[in-house]
mmCIF file of all heavy atoms in Angstrom:
data_model
loop_
_atom_site.group_PDB
_atom_site.id
_atom_site.type_symbol
_atom_site.label_atom_id
_atom_site.label_comp_id
_atom_site.label_asym_id
_atom_site.label_seq_id
_atom_site.Cartn_x
_atom_site.Cartn_y
_atom_site.Cartn_z
ATOM 1 N N LEU A 181 33.455 -109.956 -14.302
ATOM 2 C CA LEU A 181 32.682 -110.926 -15.097
ATOM 3 C C LEU A 181 33.580 -111.668 -16.063
ATOM 4 O O LEU A 181 34.529 -111.100 -16.626
ATOM 5 C CB LEU A 181 31.605 -110.222 -15.891
ATOM 6 C CG LEU A 181 30.442 -109.668 -15.064
ATOM 7 C CD1 LEU A 181 29.438 -108.968 -15.979
ATOM 8 C CD2 LEU A 181 29.748 -110.775 -14.285
ATOM 9 N N VAL A 182 33.258 -112.937 -16.261
ATOM 10 C CA VAL A 182 34.020 -113.777 -17.176
ATOM 11 C C VAL A 182 33.021 -114.384 -18.176
ATOM 12 O O VAL A 182 32.105 -115.114 -17.765
ATOM 13 C CB VAL A 182 34.727 -114.920 -16.447
ATOM 14 C CG1 VAL A 182 35.527 -115.787 -17.419
ATOM 15 C CG2 VAL A 182 35.628 -114.384 -15.359
ATOM 16 N N PRO A 183 33.164 -114.093 -19.460
ATOM 17 C CA PRO A 183 32.208 -114.607 -20.420
ATOM 18 C C PRO A 183 32.358 -116.130 -20.589
ATOM 19 O O PRO A 183 33.460 -116.650 -20.531
ATOM 20 C CB PRO A 183 32.532 -113.895 -21.721
ATOM 21 C CG PRO A 183 33.926 -113.427 -21.544
ATOM 22 C CD PRO A 183 34.172 -113.241 -20.086
ATOM 23 N N SER A 184 31.241 -116.796 -20.775
ATOM 24 C CA SER A 184 31.263 -118.233 -20.998
ATOM 25 C C SER A 184 31.168 -118.512 -22.488
ATOM 26 O O SER A 184 30.203 -118.154 -23.144
ATOM 27 C CB SER A 184 30.063 -118.877 -20.283
ATOM 28 O OG SER A 184 29.876 -120.186 -20.725
ATOM 29 N N ARG A 185 32.212 -119.158 -23.012
ATOM 30 C CA ARG A 185 32.235 -119.440 -24.442
ATOM 31 C C ARG A 185 31.148 -120.430 -24.838
ATOM 32 O O ARG A 185 30.440 -120.265 -25.797
ATOM 33 C CB ARG A 185 33.609 -119.999 -24.876
ATOM 34 C CG ARG A 185 33.713 -120.344 -26.339
ATOM 35 C CD ARG A 185 35.084 -120.944 -26.668
ATOM 36 N NE ARG A 185 35.350 -122.110 -25.834
ATOM 37 C CZ ARG A 185 34.902 -123.350 -26.062
ATOM 38 N NH1 ARG A 185 34.132 -123.609 -27.100
ATOM 39 N NH2 ARG A 185 35.201 -124.345 -25.250
ATOM 40 N N VAL A 186 30.994 -121.460 -23.976
ATOM 41 C CA VAL A 186 30.037 -122.504 -24.349
ATOM 42 C C VAL A 186 28.589 -122.141 -24.035
ATOM 43 O O VAL A 186 27.678 -122.845 -24.426
ATOM 44 C CB VAL A 186 30.390 -123.869 -23.672
ATOM 45 C CG1 VAL A 186 31.690 -124.398 -24.240
ATOM 46 C CG2 VAL A 186 30.492 -123.723 -22.166
ATOM 47 N N ASN A 187 28.417 -121.029 -23.311
ATOM 48 C CA ASN A 187 27.077 -120.506 -23.101
ATOM 49 C C ASN A 187 27.029 -119.067 -23.577
ATOM 50 O O ASN A 187 27.132 -118.139 -22.767
ATOM 51 C CB ASN A 187 26.707 -120.596 -21.606
ATOM 52 C CG ASN A 187 26.793 -121.977 -21.088
ATOM 53 O OD1 ASN A 187 25.890 -122.786 -21.289
ATOM 54 N ND2 ASN A 187 27.882 -122.319 -20.406
ATOM 55 N N PRO A 188 26.885 -118.869 -24.858
ATOM 56 C CA PRO A 188 27.020 -117.512 -25.393
ATOM 57 C C PRO A 188 26.053 -116.541 -24.675
ATOM 58 O O PRO A 188 24.914 -116.896 -24.399
ATOM 59 C CB PRO A 188 26.609 -117.665 -26.859
ATOM 60 C CG PRO A 188 26.839 -119.099 -27.154
ATOM 61 C CD PRO A 188 26.587 -119.858 -25.888
ATOM 62 N N GLY A 189 26.593 -115.377 -24.358
ATOM 63 C CA GLY A 189 25.758 -114.355 -23.713
ATOM 64 C C GLY A 189 25.650 -114.533 -22.218
ATOM 65 O O GLY A 189 24.975 -113.746 -21.550
ATOM 66 N N GLN A 190 26.309 -115.575 -21.668
ATOM 67 C CA GLN A 190 26.246 -115.784 -20.235
ATOM 68 C C GLN A 190 27.624 -115.585 -19.593
ATOM 69 O O GLN A 190 28.651 -115.738 -20.250
ATOM 70 C CB GLN A 190 25.714 -117.188 -19.910
ATOM 71 C CG GLN A 190 24.315 -117.356 -20.529
ATOM 72 C CD GLN A 190 23.559 -118.506 -19.902
ATOM 73 O OE1 GLN A 190 24.145 -119.383 -19.277
ATOM 74 N NE2 GLN A 190 22.254 -118.514 -20.111
ATOM 75 N N PHE A 191 27.592 -115.269 -18.333
ATOM 76 C CA PHE A 191 28.814 -114.846 -17.658
ATOM 77 C C PHE A 191 28.971 -115.511 -16.299
ATOM 78 O O PHE A 191 27.986 -115.690 -15.582
ATOM 79 C CB PHE A 191 28.829 -113.313 -17.443
ATOM 80 C CG PHE A 191 28.817 -112.546 -18.693
ATOM 81 C CD1 PHE A 191 27.641 -112.297 -19.393
ATOM 82 C CD2 PHE A 191 30.014 -112.090 -19.255
ATOM 83 C CE1 PHE A 191 27.647 -111.590 -20.583
ATOM 84 C CE2 PHE A 191 30.014 -111.382 -20.424
ATOM 85 C CZ PHE A 191 28.829 -111.136 -21.089
ATOM 86 N N TYR A 192 30.202 -115.850 -15.957
ATOM 87 C CA TYR A 192 30.529 -116.171 -14.583
ATOM 88 C C TYR A 192 30.936 -114.866 -13.897
ATOM 89 O O TYR A 192 31.220 -113.873 -14.556
ATOM 90 C CB TYR A 192 31.739 -117.118 -14.510
ATOM 91 C CG TYR A 192 31.598 -118.411 -15.270
ATOM 92 C CD1 TYR A 192 32.125 -118.544 -16.553
ATOM 93 C CD2 TYR A 192 30.946 -119.486 -14.684
ATOM 94 C CE1 TYR A 192 31.993 -119.725 -17.219
ATOM 95 C CE2 TYR A 192 30.824 -120.683 -15.349
ATOM 96 C CZ TYR A 192 31.341 -120.791 -16.646
ATOM 97 O OH TYR A 192 31.233 -121.990 -17.324
ATOM 98 N N ALA A 193 31.026 -114.935 -12.582
ATOM 99 C CA ALA A 193 31.639 -113.828 -11.850
ATOM 100 C C ALA A 193 32.765 -114.426 -11.017
ATOM 101 O O ALA A 193 32.671 -115.537 -10.549
ATOM 102 C CB ALA A 193 30.626 -113.160 -10.954
ATOM 103 N N LEU A 194 33.857 -113.654 -10.898
ATOM 104 C CA LEU A 194 34.904 -114.064 -9.965
ATOM 105 C C LEU A 194 34.423 -113.737 -8.545
ATOM 106 O O LEU A 194 33.753 -112.718 -8.337
ATOM 107 C CB LEU A 194 36.214 -113.329 -10.263
ATOM 108 C CG LEU A 194 36.779 -113.517 -11.671
ATOM 109 C CD1 LEU A 194 38.050 -112.724 -11.832
ATOM 110 C CD2 LEU A 194 37.038 -114.997 -11.933
ATOM 111 N N PRO A 195 34.702 -114.594 -7.572
ATOM 112 C CA PRO A 195 34.098 -114.426 -6.248
ATOM 113 C C PRO A 195 34.646 -113.200 -5.495
ATOM 114 O O PRO A 195 35.835 -112.979 -5.494
ATOM 115 C CB PRO A 195 34.469 -115.716 -5.525
ATOM 116 C CG PRO A 195 35.708 -116.187 -6.209
ATOM 117 C CD PRO A 195 35.571 -115.787 -7.668
ATOM 118 N N GLN A 196 33.742 -112.461 -4.901
ATOM 119 C CA GLN A 196 34.156 -111.403 -3.990
ATOM 120 C C GLN A 196 34.583 -112.015 -2.669
ATOM 121 O O GLN A 196 35.356 -111.409 -1.909
ATOM 122 C CB GLN A 196 32.987 -110.440 -3.733
ATOM 123 C CG GLN A 196 32.510 -109.765 -4.976
ATOM 124 C CD GLN A 196 31.256 -108.975 -4.747
ATOM 125 O OE1 GLN A 196 31.042 -108.501 -3.644
ATOM 126 N NE2 GLN A 196 30.450 -108.824 -5.757
#
Side-chain angles (χ1 to χ4, degrees):
Chain A
L181 289 179
V182 181
S184 166
R185 179 183 56 80
V186 292
N187 301 281
Q190 301 198 343
F191 297 84
Y192 304 97
L194 301 180
Q196 299 174 28

